[in-house]
Amino acid sequence: MAFSFFMSAANHNYNAVLHLYSPPAMIVNDIVPTLPPNAVTETNRVTLTRLKHDLVLVEEQLLSAADAYRMYVCNGHDPPFWGYVVESAQVDGPRDILVLMRGNTGLTRGTTLQWMSMSKVFTRKHAYLREKVIDVEGPAEDVMIAMLQLLRDVFEYAVEGNWSYEKRMEFDHAFPFDELITNFLLGFRDGF
């Protein structure tokens, strides 16, 4: 299980787990979503800067990690689901902001990555007000903060290693959100 590598890394050196997820172990052709036409994704450095900035805002209690990164997707076509925002992109043509949502959807509840327009995703508060749904499975604020701190550390590595779009997508698909939540709830907080 990859989580034990995360938990044992007291110095935040996540190279062991990242090498575990590097090709060929992570490569599955159908996990990398096609980037929409005219879309420009964040670079590794921009993602790292965003994560650092958001963590400062969370620390100053100006932003909720759970509200900013755990969202409800309701696009009107597919069954709605709760997921995590893992990337963003801008589309030049019809000026739109896209977010890459990672969720467990479909009959098999397998992990999927989907690019969605920001107009189709809702914070917890807006999901309740608009759709009358409550996120009963999502992590608490302290768990989301710990995950964002871990993602920040991983993106420091991604900047150093100059990860490609495909490599980031593979990592986003493989990141053990559910295992981290379970272990955090069981009391393994020190390794975060």
Side-chain angles (χ1 to χ4, degrees), residues 133-177:
V133 295
I134 298 173
D135 183 12
V136 295
E137 297 176 5
E141 182 70 7
D142 56 346
V143 178
M144 282 302 300
I145 292 169
M147 285 195 287
L148 291 180
Q149 291 167 338
L150 186 58
L151 286 170
R152 176 202 55 211
D153 294 344
V154 167
F155 268 90
E156 286 177 355
Y157 182 82
V159 167
E160 287 177 25
N162 195 26
W163 282 8
S164 66
Y165 171 75
E166 289 79 13
K167 176 80 172 178
R168 285 195 328 269
M169 295 301 106
E170 291 164 356
F171 175 79
D172 291 338
H173 185 269
F175 188 76
F177 283 104

CSV table of all heavy atoms in Angstrom, one decimal, residues 133-177:
chain,number,residue,atom,x,y,z
A,133,VAL,N,-28.4,18.9,-1.5
A,133,VAL,CA,-27.6,17.7,-1.2
A,133,VAL,C,-26.5,18.1,-0.2
A,133,VAL,O,-26.1,19.2,-0.1
A,133,VAL,CB,-26.9,17.1,-2.5
A,133,VAL,CG1,-27.9,16.6,-3.4
A,133,VAL,CG2,-26.0,18.2,-3.1
A,134,ILE,N,-26.2,17.1,0.6
A,134,ILE,CA,-25.2,17.3,1.7
A,134,ILE,C,-24.1,16.3,1.4
A,134,ILE,O,-24.3,15.1,1.2
A,134,ILE,CB,-25.8,17.1,3.1
A,134,ILE,CG1,-26.9,18.2,3.3
A,134,ILE,CG2,-24.7,17.2,4.2
A,134,ILE,CD1,-27.7,18.0,4.6
A,135,ASP,N,-22.8,16.8,1.6
A,135,ASP,CA,-21.7,15.9,1.4
A,135,ASP,C,-21.5,15.1,2.7
A,135,ASP,O,-20.9,15.6,3.7
A,135,ASP,CB,-20.4,16.7,1.1
A,135,ASP,CG,-19.2,15.9,0.9
A,135,ASP,OD1,-19.3,14.6,0.7
A,135,ASP,OD2,-18.1,16.4,0.8
A,136,VAL,N,-21.9,13.9,2.8
A,136,VAL,CA,-21.8,13.1,4.0
A,136,VAL,C,-20.6,12.2,4.0
A,136,VAL,O,-20.2,11.6,5.0
A,136,VAL,CB,-23.1,12.2,4.2
A,136,VAL,CG1,-24.3,13.1,4.5
A,136,VAL,CG2,-23.3,11.3,3.0
A,137,GLU,N,-19.9,12.0,2.8
A,137,GLU,CA,-18.7,11.2,2.7
A,137,GLU,C,-17.4,11.9,2.7
A,137,GLU,O,-16.4,11.3,2.9
A,137,GLU,CB,-18.8,10.4,1.4
A,137,GLU,CG,-20.0,9.4,1.3
A,137,GLU,CD,-20.1,8.7,-0.1
A,137,GLU,OE1,-19.2,8.9,-0.9
A,137,GLU,OE2,-21.0,8.0,-0.3
A,138,GLY,N,-17.5,13.2,2.5
A,138,GLY,CA,-16.3,14.0,2.3
A,138,GLY,C,-15.5,14.2,3.6
A,138,GLY,O,-16.0,14.0,4.7
A,139,PRO,N,-14.2,14.6,3.5
A,139,PRO,CA,-13.4,14.8,4.6
A,139,PRO,C,-13.7,16.1,5.3
A,139,PRO,O,-14.2,17.0,4.8
A,139,PRO,CB,-12.0,14.8,4.0
A,139,PRO,CG,-12.2,15.3,2.6
A,139,PRO,CD,-13.5,14.8,2.2
A,140,ALA,N,-13.3,16.1,6.6
A,140,ALA,CA,-13.4,17.3,7.4
A,140,ALA,C,-12.3,18.3,7.0
A,140,ALA,O,-11.4,17.9,6.2
A,140,ALA,CB,-13.2,16.9,8.9
A,141,GLU,N,-12.4,19.5,7.5
A,141,GLU,CA,-11.4,20.6,7.1
A,141,GLU,C,-10.0,20.2,7.4
A,141,GLU,O,-9.1,20.4,6.6
A,141,GLU,CB,-11.8,21.9,7.8
A,141,GLU,CG,-11.0,23.0,7.5
A,141,GLU,CD,-11.1,23.6,6.1
A,141,GLU,OE1,-12.0,23.1,5.3
A,141,GLU,OE2,-10.3,24.5,5.7
A,142,ASP,N,-9.7,19.6,8.6
A,142,ASP,CA,-8.3,19.3,8.9
A,142,ASP,C,-7.7,18.2,8.0
A,142,ASP,O,-6.6,18.3,7.7
A,142,ASP,CB,-8.2,18.9,10.4
A,142,ASP,CG,-9.1,17.8,10.8
A,142,ASP,OD1,-10.0,17.4,10.1
A,142,ASP,OD2,-8.9,17.2,11.9
A,143,VAL,N,-8.6,17.3,7.6
A,143,VAL,CA,-8.1,16.3,6.6
A,143,VAL,C,-7.8,16.9,5.3
A,143,VAL,O,-6.7,16.6,4.7
A,143,VAL,CB,-9.1,15.1,6.5
A,143,VAL,CG1,-8.6,14.1,5.5
A,143,VAL,CG2,-9.4,14.5,7.8
A,144,MET,N,-8.6,17.8,4.8
A,144,MET,CA,-8.4,18.5,3.5
A,144,MET,C,-7.1,19.3,3.6
A,144,MET,O,-6.3,19.4,2.6
A,144,MET,CB,-9.6,19.3,3.1
A,144,MET,CG,-10.7,18.6,2.5
A,144,MET,SD,-10.3,17.6,1.0
A,144,MET,CE,-9.8,18.8,-0.1
A,145,ILE,N,-6.9,20.0,4.7
A,145,ILE,CA,-5.7,20.8,4.9
A,145,ILE,C,-4.4,19.9,4.8
A,145,ILE,O,-3.5,20.2,4.1
A,145,ILE,CB,-5.7,21.6,6.2
A,145,ILE,CG1,-6.8,22.7,6.2
A,145,ILE,CG2,-4.3,22.2,6.5
A,145,ILE,CD1,-7.1,23.3,7.5
A,146,ALA,N,-4.5,18.8,5.5
A,146,ALA,CA,-3.4,17.8,5.4
A,146,ALA,C,-3.1,17.3,4.0
A,146,ALA,O,-2.0,17.2,3.6
A,146,ALA,CB,-3.6,16.6,6.4
A,147,MET,N,-4.2,17.1,3.3
A,147,MET,CA,-4.0,16.6,1.9
A,147,MET,C,-3.4,17.7,1.0
A,147,MET,O,-2.6,17.4,0.2
A,147,MET,CB,-5.4,16.1,1.3
A,147,MET,CG,-5.8,14.8,1.8
A,147,MET,SD,-7.1,14.0,0.9
A,147,MET,CE,-8.5,14.9,1.4
A,148,LEU,N,-3.9,19.0,1.2
A,148,LEU,CA,-3.3,20.1,0.4
A,148,LEU,C,-1.8,20.3,0.7
A,148,LEU,O,-1.0,20.6,-0.2
A,148,LEU,CB,-4.1,21.4,0.7
A,148,LEU,CG,-5.5,21.4,0.1
A,148,LEU,CD1,-6.2,22.7,0.4
A,148,LEU,CD2,-5.5,21.1,-1.4
A,149,GLN,N,-1.5,20.1,2.0
A,149,GLN,CA,0.0,20.2,2.4
A,149,GLN,C,0.8,19.1,1.7
A,149,GLN,O,1.9,19.4,1.2
A,149,GLN,CB,0.1,20.1,3.9
A,149,GLN,CG,-0.4,21.3,4.6
A,149,GLN,CD,-0.6,21.1,6.1
A,149,GLN,OE1,-0.6,20.0,6.6
A,149,GLN,NE2,-0.6,22.2,6.8
A,150,LEU,N,0.2,17.9,1.6
A,150,LEU,CA,0.9,16.8,1.0
A,150,LEU,C,1.0,17.1,-0.5
A,150,LEU,O,2.1,16.9,-1.1
A,150,LEU,CB,0.2,15.5,1.2
A,150,LEU,CG,0.8,14.3,0.7
A,150,LEU,CD1,2.2,14.1,1.3
A,150,LEU,CD2,-0.1,13.1,1.1
A,151,LEU,N,-0.1,17.6,-1.1
A,151,LEU,CA,0.0,17.9,-2.6
A,151,LEU,C,1.0,19.0,-2.9
A,151,LEU,O,1.7,18.9,-3.9
A,151,LEU,CB,-1.4,18.3,-3.1
A,151,LEU,CG,-2.4,17.1,-3.2
A,151,LEU,CD1,-3.8,17.7,-3.5
A,151,LEU,CD2,-2.0,16.2,-4.3
A,152,ARG,N,1.1,20.0,-2.0
A,152,ARG,CA,2.1,21.0,-2.1
A,152,ARG,C,3.5,20.4,-2.2
A,152,ARG,O,4.3,20.7,-3.1
A,152,ARG,CB,2.0,22.0,-1.0
A,152,ARG,CG,3.1,23.1,-1.0
A,152,ARG,CD,3.3,23.7,0.3
A,152,ARG,NE,3.6,22.7,1.3
A,152,ARG,CZ,3.3,22.8,2.6
A,152,ARG,NH1,2.7,23.9,3.0
A,152,ARG,NH2,3.6,21.9,3.4
A,153,ASP,N,3.8,19.5,-1.3
A,153,ASP,CA,5.1,18.9,-1.2
A,153,ASP,C,5.3,18.0,-2.5
A,153,ASP,O,6.4,18.0,-3.0
A,153,ASP,CB,5.2,18.0,0.0
A,153,ASP,CG,5.2,18.7,1.3
A,153,ASP,OD1,5.4,20.0,1.3
A,153,ASP,OD2,5.0,18.1,2.4
A,154,VAL,N,4.3,17.4,-3.0
A,154,VAL,CA,4.4,16.6,-4.2
A,154,VAL,C,4.7,17.5,-5.4
A,154,VAL,O,5.5,17.2,-6.3
A,154,VAL,CB,3.2,15.7,-4.4
A,154,VAL,CG1,3.1,15.1,-5.9
A,154,VAL,CG2,3.1,14.6,-3.4
A,155,PHE,N,4.0,18.7,-5.5
A,155,PHE,CA,4.2,19.6,-6.6
A,155,PHE,C,5.6,20.3,-6.5
A,155,PHE,O,6.1,20.7,-7.6
A,155,PHE,CB,3.1,20.5,-6.8
A,155,PHE,CG,2.0,20.0,-7.7
A,155,PHE,CD1,1.0,19.2,-7.3
A,155,PHE,CD2,2.2,20.1,-9.1
A,155,PHE,CE1,0.1,18.6,-8.1
A,155,PHE,CE2,1.3,19.6,-10.0
A,155,PHE,CZ,0.2,18.8,-9.5
A,156,GLU,N,6.2,20.3,-5.4
A,156,GLU,CA,7.6,20.8,-5.3
A,156,GLU,C,8.4,19.8,-6.1
A,156,GLU,O,9.3,20.2,-6.8
A,156,GLU,CB,8.0,21.0,-3.9
A,156,GLU,CG,7.4,22.2,-3.2
A,156,GLU,CD,7.8,22.4,-1.8
A,156,GLU,OE1,8.5,21.5,-1.2
A,156,GLU,OE2,7.4,23.4,-1.2
A,157,TYR,N,8.2,18.5,-5.9
A,157,TYR,CA,8.9,17.5,-6.6
A,157,TYR,C,8.5,17.5,-8.1
A,157,TYR,O,9.4,17.4,-9.0
A,157,TYR,CB,8.5,16.1,-6.1
A,157,TYR,CG,9.2,15.0,-6.7
A,157,TYR,CD1,10.5,14.6,-6.3
A,157,TYR,CD2,8.6,14.2,-7.7
A,157,TYR,CE1,11.2,13.6,-6.9
A,157,TYR,CE2,9.2,13.2,-8.3
A,157,TYR,CZ,10.5,12.8,-7.9
A,157,TYR,OH,11.2,11.8,-8.5
A,158,ALA,N,7.3,17.8,-8.5
A,158,ALA,CA,6.9,17.9,-9.9
A,158,ALA,C,7.6,19.0,-10.6
A,158,ALA,O,7.9,18.9,-11.8
A,158,ALA,CB,5.3,18.0,-10.0
A,159,VAL,N,7.8,20.1,-9.9
A,159,VAL,CA,8.5,21.3,-10.5
A,159,VAL,C,9.9,20.9,-10.8
A,159,VAL,O,10.4,21.1,-11.9
A,159,VAL,CB,8.4,22.5,-9.6
A,159,VAL,CG1,9.4,23.6,-10.1
A,159,VAL,CG2,7.0,23.1,-9.6
A,160,GLU,N,10.5,20.3,-9.8
A,160,GLU,CA,11.9,19.8,-9.9
A,160,GLU,C,12.1,18.8,-11.1
A,160,GLU,O,13.0,18.8,-11.8
A,160,GLU,CB,12.5,19.2,-8.6
A,160,GLU,CG,12.7,20.2,-7.5
A,160,GLU,CD,13.2,19.4,-6.3
A,160,GLU,OE1,13.7,18.3,-6.4
A,160,GLU,OE2,12.9,20.0,-5.2
A,161,GLY,N,11.1,17.9,-11.2
A,161,GLY,CA,11.2,16.8,-12.2
A,161,GLY,C,10.6,17.2,-13.5
A,161,GLY,O,10.6,16.4,-14.4
A,162,ASN,N,10.0,18.4,-13.6
A,162,ASN,CA,9.4,18.9,-14.8
A,162,ASN,C,8.4,17.9,-15.4
A,162,ASN,O,8.5,17.4,-16.5
A,162,ASN,CB,10.5,19.2,-15.9
A,162,ASN,CG,9.9,20.0,-17.0
A,162,ASN,OD1,8.9,20.7,-16.9
A,162,ASN,ND2,10.5,19.9,-18.2
A,163,TRP,N,7.4,17.5,-14.6
A,163,TRP,CA,6.4,16.6,-14.9
A,163,TRP,C,5.6,17.0,-16.1
A,163,TRP,O,5.2,18.2,-16.3
A,163,TRP,CB,5.4,16.3,-13.8
A,163,TRP,CG,5.9,15.4,-12.7
A,163,TRP,CD1,7.2,14.9,-12.6
A,163,TRP,CD2,5.2,14.9,-11.6
A,163,TRP,NE1,7.3,14.2,-11.4
A,163,TRP,CE2,6.1,14.1,-10.8
A,163,TRP,CE3,3.9,15.1,-11.2
A,163,TRP,CZ2,5.6,13.5,-9.7
A,163,TRP,CZ3,3.4,14.4,-10.1
A,163,TRP,CH2,4.3,13.6,-9.3
A,164,SER,N,5.3,16.1,-17.0
A,164,SER,CA,4.4,16.4,-18.2
A,164,SER,C,3.0,16.4,-17.8
A,164,SER,O,2.6,16.0,-16.7
A,164,SER,CB,4.7,15.3,-19.3
A,164,SER,OG,4.2,14.1,-18.8
A,165,TYR,N,2.1,16.8,-18.7
A,165,TYR,CA,0.7,16.8,-18.5
A,165,TYR,C,0.2,15.3,-18.2
A,165,TYR,O,-0.5,15.1,-17.2
A,165,TYR,CB,-0.1,17.3,-19.7
A,165,TYR,CG,-1.6,17.1,-19.7
A,165,TYR,CD1,-2.4,17.9,-18.9
A,165,TYR,CD2,-2.2,16.1,-20.5
A,165,TYR,CE1,-3.8,17.7,-18.9
A,165,TYR,CE2,-3.5,15.9,-20.5
A,165,TYR,CZ,-4.3,16.7,-19.7
A,165,TYR,OH,-5.7,16.5,-19.6
A,166,GLU,N,0.7,14.4,-18.9
A,166,GLU,CA,0.3,13.0,-18.7
A,166,GLU,C,0.8,12.5,-17.3
A,166,GLU,O,0.0,11.8,-16.6
A,166,GLU,CB,0.9,12.1,-19.8
A,166,GLU,CG,0.3,12.3,-21.2
A,166,GLU,CD,0.8,13.5,-21.9
A,166,GLU,OE1,1.8,14.1,-21.5
A,166,GLU,OE2,0.1,13.9,-22.9
A,167,LYS,N,2.0,12.8,-16.9
A,167,LYS,CA,2.5,12.4,-15.6
A,167,LYS,C,1.6,13.0,-14.5
A,167,LYS,O,1.3,12.3,-13.5
A,167,LYS,CB,3.9,12.9,-15.5
A,167,LYS,CG,4.6,12.6,-14.2
A,167,LYS,CD,5.0,11.2,-14.0
A,167,LYS,CE,5.8,11.0,-12.8
A,167,LYS,NZ,6.2,9.7,-12.6
A,168,ARG,N,1.2,14.3,-14.6
A,168,ARG,CA,0.4,14.9,-13.6
A,168,ARG,C,-1.0,14.2,-13.6
A,168,ARG,O,-1.5,14.0,-12.5
A,168,ARG,CB,0.2,16.4,-13.9
A,168,ARG,CG,1.4,17.2,-13.5
A,168,ARG,CD,1.0,18.7,-13.4
A,168,ARG,NE,0.0,19.2,-14.3
A,168,ARG,CZ,0.2,19.7,-15.6
A,168,ARG,NH1,1.4,19.7,-16.1
A,168,ARG,NH2,-0.8,20.1,-16.3
A,169,MET,N,-1.5,13.9,-14.7
A,169,MET,CA,-2.8,13.2,-14.8
A,169,MET,C,-2.8,11.9,-14.1
A,169,MET,O,-3.7,11.4,-13.4
A,169,MET,CB,-3.4,13.1,-16.2
A,169,MET,CG,-3.7,14.4,-16.9
A,169,MET,SD,-4.9,15.4,-16.1
A,169,MET,CE,-3.9,16.7,-15.5
A,170,GLU,N,-1.7,11.1,-14.4
A,170,GLU,CA,-1.5,9.8,-13.8
A,170,GLU,C,-1.4,9.9,-12.3
A,170,GLU,O,-2.0,9.1,-11.6
A,170,GLU,CB,-0.3,9.1,-14.4
A,170,GLU,CG,-0.5,8.8,-15.9
A,170,GLU,CD,0.8,8.4,-16.6
A,170,GLU,OE1,1.9,8.6,-16.0
A,170,GLU,OE2,0.7,8.1,-17.8
A,171,PHE,N,-0.7,10.9,-11.8
A,171,PHE,CA,-0.6,11.1,-10.4
A,171,PHE,C,-1.9,11.5,-9.8
A,171,PHE,O,-2.3,11.0,-8.7
A,171,PHE,CB,0.5,12.2,-10.0
A,171,PHE,CG,0.5,12.5,-8.5
A,171,PHE,CD1,1.1,11.7,-7.7
A,171,PHE,CD2,-0.2,13.6,-8.0
A,171,PHE,CE1,1.1,11.9,-6.3
A,171,PHE,CE2,-0.3,13.8,-6.7
A,171,PHE,CZ,0.4,13.0,-5.8
A,172,ASP,N,-2.6,12.4,-10.4
A,172,ASP,CA,-4.0,12.8,-9.9
A,172,ASP,C,-4.9,11.7,-9.8
A,172,ASP,O,-5.7,11.6,-8.9
A,172,ASP,CB,-4.6,13.9,-10.9
A,172,ASP,CG,-3.9,15.2,-10.8
A,172,ASP,OD1,-3.2,15.5,-9.8
A,172,ASP,OD2,-4.0,16.0,-11.7
A,173,HIS,N,-4.8,10.7,-10.8
A,173,HIS,CA,-5.6,9.5,-10.8
A,173,HIS,C,-5.2,8.6,-9.6
A,173,HIS,O,-6.1,8.0,-9.0
A,173,HIS,CB,-5.5,8.8,-12.1
A,173,HIS,CG,-6.4,7.7,-12.3
A,173,HIS,ND1,-6.1,6.4,-11.9
A,173,HIS,CD2,-7.7,7.6,-12.7
A,173,HIS,CE1,-7.1,5.6,-12.1
A,173,HIS,NE2,-8.1,6.3,-12.6
A,174,ALA,N,-3.9,8.5,-9.4
A,174,ALA,CA,-3.4,7.5,-8.4
A,174,ALA,C,-3.4,8.0,-7.0
A,174,ALA,O,-3.3,7.2,-6.0
A,174,ALA,CB,-2.0,7.0,-8.8
A,175,PHE,N,-3.5,9.3,-6.7
A,175,PHE,CA,-3.3,9.9,-5.4
A,175,PHE,C,-4.3,9.2,-4.5
A,175,PHE,O,-5.5,9.2,-4.7
A,175,PHE,CB,-3.5,11.4,-5.4
A,175,PHE,CG,-3.2,12.1,-4.1
A,175,PHE,CD1,-1.9,12.3,-3.8
A,175,PHE,CD2,-4.2,12.5,-3.3
A,175,PHE,CE1,-1.6,12.9,-2.6
A,175,PHE,CE2,-3.9,13.1,-2.1
A,175,PHE,CZ,-2.6,13.4,-1.7
A,176,PRO,N,-3.9,8.7,-3.3
A,176,PRO,CA,-4.8,7.9,-2.4
A,176,PRO,C,-5.6,8.7,-1.5
A,176,PRO,O,-5.5,8.6,-0.3
A,176,PRO,CB,-3.7,7.1,-1.6
A,176,PRO,CG,-2.5,8.0,-1.6
A,176,PRO,CD,-2.5,8.7,-2.9
A,177,PHE,N,-6.6,9.5,-2.0
A,177,PHE,CA,-7.4,10.4,-1.2
A,177,PHE,C,-8.2,9.5,-0.2
A,177,PHE,O,-8.1,9.9,1.0
A,177,PHE,CB,-8.5,11.1,-2.1
A,177,PHE,CG,-8.0,12.3,-2.8
A,177,PHE,CD1,-7.8,12.2,-4.2
A,177,PHE,CD2,-7.8,13.5,-2.2
A,177,PHE,CE1,-7.3,13.3,-4.9
A,177,PHE,CE2,-7.4,14.6,-2.9
A,177,PHE,CZ,-7.1,14.5,-4.2
